[in-house]
């Protein structure tokens, strides 16, 4: 039995859409694998989700590579505060690029179902940086992103006062 022309067109459209989706997923996976092989592995303390870990890893890679645009793309609200996010990305790269190119440990605080505070330790430069990662969108459909609202260079380069000098110093629990 031969399929009607409309059915053949519908099947072709579905297959083409699936192939394009697979290509996009493969491209993302290839980019991640390339980035992973080109950078020092991130050491981890605490309990990240796979997604909070991935956005943190990408943030460290973008810092190390000095990629302002790609760092901005990780922002939780890149369009709503474009100038603030751009300035923050520039500040973070200026302050942490050298350290991000070496050994880095990320300490993930508290549970990470929708938000997590992360402290990264740049071992080569003895710098420490804290930031929040969170799900974006009303139902999380925007994925995990980084809060980037530090347009003041001094604020951008400073860790919160409560952060311990070494990873795991508080047992990955924020002080109450």
């Amino acid at each position: 039995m031969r399929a009607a022309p409309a059915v053949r067109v519908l099947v072709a459209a579905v297959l083409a859409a699936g192939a394009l989706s697979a290509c996009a997923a493969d491209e993302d996976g290839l980019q991640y694998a390339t980035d992973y092989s080109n950078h020092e592995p991130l050491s981890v303390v605490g309990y990240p989700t796979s997604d909070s870990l991935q956005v943190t890893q990408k943030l460290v890679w973008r810092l190390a590579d000095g990629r302002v645009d790609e760092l901005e793309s990780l922002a939780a609200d890149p369009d709503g505060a474009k100038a603030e996010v751009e300035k923050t990305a520039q500040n973070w790269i200026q302050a942490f690029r050298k350290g991000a190119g070496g050994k880095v440990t990320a300490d993930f605080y508290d549970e990470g179902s929708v938000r997590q505070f992360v402290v990264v330790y740049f071992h080569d430069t003895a710098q420490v940086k804290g930031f929040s990662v969170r799900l974006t969108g009303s139902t999380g459909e925007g994925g995990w992103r980084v809060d980037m609202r530090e347009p003041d260079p001094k604020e951008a380069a400073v860790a919160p006062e409560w952060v311990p000098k070494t990873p795991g110093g508080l047992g990955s629990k924020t002080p109450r």
Side-chain angles (χ1 to χ4, degrees), residues 14-68:
V14 168
L15 291 174
L20 290 174
S21 296
C23 289
D26 288 346
E27 189 175 313
D28 290 344
L30 180 59
Q31 181 62 52
Y32 190 85
T34 301
D35 280 337
Y36 190 86
S37 66
N38 288 336
H39 297 89
E40 179 96 19
L42 181 70
S43 298
V44 176
V45 176
Y47 302 96
T49 66
S50 59
D51 293 329
S52 67
L53 174 59
Q54 187 176 59
V55 75
T56 300
Q57 180 68 80
K58 287 179 180 180
L59 179 131
V60 172
W61 291 337
R62 300 308 164 246
L63 289 174
D65 295 341
R67 297 181 184 170
V68 174

Side-chain angles (χ1 to χ4, degrees), residues 39-109:
H39 297 89
E40 179 96 19
L42 181 70
S43 298
V44 176
V45 176
Y47 302 96
T49 66
S50 59
D51 293 329
S52 67
L53 174 59
Q54 187 176 59
V55 75
T56 300
Q57 180 68 80
K58 287 179 180 180
L59 179 131
V60 172
W61 291 337
R62 300 308 164 246
L63 289 174
D65 295 341
R67 297 181 184 170
V68 174
D69 291 346
E70 290 184 30
L71 184 57
E72 286 178 48
S73 74
L74 300 176
D77 188 16
D79 298 327
K82 179 80 173 139
E84 194 173 34
V85 167
E86 182 179 12
K87 187 63 179 157
T88 300
Q90 292 168 353
N91 290 339
W92 286 8
I93 287 171
Q94 178 80 29
F96 303 109
R97 183 173 186 182
K98 183 177 179 188
K103 183 172 172 31
V104 179
T105 299
D107 195 347
F108 291 80
Y109 282 79

Side-chain angles (χ1 to χ4, degrees), residues 4-20:
V7 172
R8 284 193 300 249
V9 169
L10 179 60
V11 169
V14 168
L15 291 174
L20 290 174

